[in-house]
Amino acid sequence: MSAAALVLKKNKKAGKKKRRNDAKLPTNVACCYGCGAPLQTTEVDAPGYVNAETYELKKMHHQLKTILCGRCKLLSHGHMVTAVGGHGGYSGGKQFISAEELREKLSYLRHEKALIVKLVDIVDFNGSFLARVRDLAGANPIILVITKVDLLPRGTNLNCIGDWVVEATTKKKLNVISVHLTSSKSFVGIAGVISEIQKEKKGRDVYILGSANVGKSAFINALLKLMARKDPVAAAAQKYKPMQSAVPGTTLGPIQIEAFQGGGNLFDTPGVHLHHRQAAVVHSDDLPSLAPQSRLRGQSFPVISIGTITDSEAVGINGSSLFWGGLVRIDVIKVLPRTRLTFYGPKKLKVHMVSMAEADEFYHEELGNTLIPPSGKERVESWLGLQAVRQLKIKFEDTNRPACDIAISGLGWIAVEPVGASKPNDPDKRVKAGELHLAVHVPKPIEIFIRRPIPVGKAGEEWYQFQELTEKEEESRPKWFY
């Protein structure tokens, strides 16, 4: 009986091991080195297409790894070619890879010894965070890389930003070993990430994870460029690096890159398409307007210089509706007379303020004209409108700092200051606590996050309060680098 039990136990273990190995990434399928789509010679408009003669010639010379598909060639020349049916791209295309599909494709990661490099966009911190990354990473260590810090408003103190990010990350309870503030454009912070990868890799494969359009391919290109200075393997990998573009879902399959001398590969994975981000509802031609290209500059309402407001003007924005392009509407139901809203996001999205009574008519008449995106007659006609409404009752306890941020997934955020433009002896400043009532309208299924205010600009440094931590809490928190 004991011998039989031992045999059964061994068979059970072998079965488990076999199943784990079956889940591994297939390596025998030839893929485009730019996007990771399987190469094919039949559908011209589909991702992965390559001319049949070119394919056979490259196959004969064992050079299939050097092929760039037709879609990637168009992307490299600035064309906005999505892989999404009905969004201005390939008509027979499949949808972006969903979070569930990516979990299935990379399910073996939980059982492998790997190092995870998770990317989060600072402009869309909550929308691009991938809260359920633990399902993919398992117990594997995570290096958290915050991208696009060069887009933060001028004068921002990165000590404050680093502390804010670590505080927000600690609440997620992930196995984060370090946090890095980076910019792939200016190479800021990239050397620190390379150093951390080399220290923690220990012969393991390194996987770059993140949501669609968070900047994974740009990050890998910056990583390879810096590594190539000392590592000949990384220098060789630079020749066939992943494609980068403003189109969400540029990478369609896992791309294996031989980038390390000491063993272990680098994998660029498809960006997880999150249905709650603005890129999911906007046409591909309007996508560039959602991507900030330069430093963010807040648009504040009401537009009043400090110290110039009079009692007769102190009606503020009560009873107003503010439109952020055609994508967001905020109804100001009840706030303090000097409450200020500051919008941080793409420059191309302008903010327009009208009376709440005229808001519906204004939106109907100006959509596609002054309120864009959506742009173009056809897109306006097919636009479903701002169907989701969320009532917000924001409590505040300090008028010297913003009460909170309203973060719009895939777009940016709105800082809510109970008392914005004011005189030193302003009666509103004497209000110690209270409640602000707003209503936020967005397209379905865009998500709205209410979060602790992010300290940007010179003013952020003045009001930001660092957390008081015990020695034990300090040790358990991941360290951040810049």
Side-chain angles (χ1 to χ4, degrees):
M1 288 291 284
S2 61
L6 188 66
V7 170
L8 284 170
K9 193 175 179 182
K10 281 183 179 177
N11 287 342
K12 198 174 180 183
K13 280 184 178 178
K16 277 185 183 177
K17 282 180 183 175
K18 192 174 180 183
R19 278 197 296 276
R20 282 182 187 178
N21 290 339
D22 287 345
K24 279 198 174 186
L25 185 70
T27 54
N28 57 342
V29 179
C31 297
C32 164
Y33 75 79
C35 66
L39 295 176
Q40 51 90 15
T41 58
T42 51
E43 292 184 74
V44 179
D45 294 329
Y49 174 77
V50 61
N51 180 282
E53 288 179 15
T54 305
Y55 182 86
E56 291 303 326
L57 187 67
K58 293 281 187 182
K59 187 179 179 182
M60 189 170 66
H61 290 93
H62 305 286
Q63 294 178 338
L64 289 177
K65 286 185 177 180
T66 67
I67 292 180
L68 195 66
C69 75
R71 172 177 171 266
C72 283
K73 285 176 182 175
L74 288 172
L75 285 170
S76 68
H77 289 93
H79 293 267
M80 302 299 287
V81 188
T82 71
V84 184
H87 280 254
Y90 163 54
S91 57
K94 294 179 181 178
Q95 293 295 317
F96 288 122
I97 188 165
S98 68
E100 289 71 31
E101 287 171 321
L102 186 65
R103 282 188 198 104
E104 194 178 323
K105 276 192 176 187
L106 300 177
S107 59
Y108 65 92
L109 259 182
R110 282 173 292 180
H111 312 296
E112 295 288 311
K113 286 189 176 180
L115 179 61
I116 310 298
V117 178
K118 180 169 126 73
L119 269 60
V120 177
D121 182 350
I122 191 65
V123 179
D124 184 28
F125 184 84
N126 299 78
S128 66
F129 195 86
L130 283 186
R132 291 185 64 192
V133 75
R134 197 184 311 160
D135 296 352
L136 292 173
N140 285 314
I142 298 169
I143 296 173
L144 185 67
V145 174
I146 308 299
T147 62
K148 307 178 187 178
V149 295
D150 56 318
L151 296 179
L152 290 172
R154 201 173 296 281
T156 298
N157 185 329
L158 291 173
N159 284 312
C160 298
I161 297 295
D163 186 75
W164 182 89
V165 169
V166 169
E167 184 64 24
T169 305
T170 306
K171 290 175 183 175
K172 308 279 185 186
K173 296 183 179 175
L174 298 171
N175 185 19
V176 175
I177 53 176
S178 61
V179 175
H180 299 260
L181 307 183
T182 70
S183 163
S184 301
K185 195 174 178 181
S186 62
F187 294 92
V188 162
I190 302 295
V193 179
I194 294 170
S195 175
E196 190 74 1
I197 289 173
Q198 298 290 11
K199 181 181 139 190
E200 299 290 341
K201 187 167 70 69
K202 296 166 187 172
R204 296 178 289 194
D205 288 334
V206 178
Y207 285 81
I208 312 293
L209 299 181
S211 58
N213 232 36
V214 80
K216 288 186 305 301
S217 297
F219 170 75
I220 288 173
N221 291 344
L223 206 69
L224 291 174
K225 197 166 185 177
L226 280 191
M227 285 169 64
R229 295 175 184 176
K230 295 179 181 178
D231 190 340
V233 177
Q238 263 200 295
K239 194 175 180 184
Y240 304 109
K241 56 193 179 185
M243 181 61 57
Q244 66 182 87
S245 79
V247 178
T250 298
T251 305
L252 300 172
I255 301 172
Q256 182 177 324
I257 305 161
E258 293 174 14
F260 306 112
Q261 262 184 323
N265 291 306
L266 184 67
F267 285 90
D268 184 10
T269 61
V272 183
H273 172 62
L274 301 170
H275 68 280
H276 59 71
R277 297 179 78 199
Q278 289 284 3
V281 298
V282 171
H283 192 277
S284 62
D285 290 347
D286 288 329
L287 287 176
S289 64
L290 298 186
Q293 300 298 323
S294 56
R295 282 190 183 275
L296 301 180
R297 292 184 68 180
Q299 300 179 65
S300 296
F301 290 83
V303 186
I304 300 165
S305 301
I306 292 176
T308 62
I309 192 166
T310 63
D311 291 337
S312 59
E313 292 170 323
V315 290
I317 52 176
N318 269 312
S320 300
S321 290
L322 293 98
F323 289 95
W324 200 1
L327 302 176
V328 182
R329 167 181 165 180
I330 296 181
D331 292 338
V332 184
I333 298 165
K334 189 181 180 184
V335 296
L336 296 177
R338 290 175 177 86
T339 293
R340 182 166 62 184
L341 303 182
T342 304
F343 294 73
Y344 293 96
K347 277 185 183 177
K348 290 181 182 177
L349 261 71
K350 303 298 180 190
V351 182
H352 299 271
M353 187 166 75
V354 296
S355 160
M356 211 189 300
E358 301 166 6
D360 291 337
E361 187 183 346
F362 178 78
Y363 188 73
H364 181 71
E365 288 178 0
E366 296 300 327
L367 188 65
N369 298 318
T370 56
L371 300 178
I372 53 173
S375 61
K377 192 178 177 183
E378 286 181 19
R379 284 164 226 157
V380 170
E381 286 173 359
S382 61
W383 184 249
L384 296 174
L386 308 177
Q387 299 168 311
V389 186
R390 184 171 168 187
Q391 299 290 335
L392 302 178
K393 291 191 175 178
I394 301 161
K395 292 182 178 178
F396 65 90
E397 295 175 354
D398 185 356
T399 55
N400 293 312
R401 62 198 303 269
C404 69
D405 285 343
I406 303 170
I408 310 295
S409 187
L411 192 61
W413 75 94
I414 301 124
V416 181
E417 297 172 82
V419 181
S422 62
K423 297 175 184 176
N425 299 322
D426 198 306
D428 281 352
K429 283 284 185 186
R430 297 187 206 122
V431 179
K432 295 297 179 189
E435 191 174 75
L436 311 174
H437 190 185
L438 307 168
V440 183
H441 306 243
V442 290
K444 279 185 178 177
I446 303 306
E447 202 160 337
I448 300 161
F449 301 93
I450 306 303
R451 70 183 190 196
R452 187 169 164 237
I454 185 169
V456 294
K458 288 181 180 177
E461 184 182 355
E462 292 170 11
W463 58 254
Y464 186 72
Q465 294 173 340
F466 287 88
Q467 299 293 308
E468 289 184 15
L469 303 168
T470 63
E471 198 173 322
K472 191 177 179 182
E473 286 173 330
E474 188 68 50
E475 283 176 13
S476 64
R477 274 166 55 112
K479 300 289 181 285
W480 68 271
F481 303 91
Y482 170 59

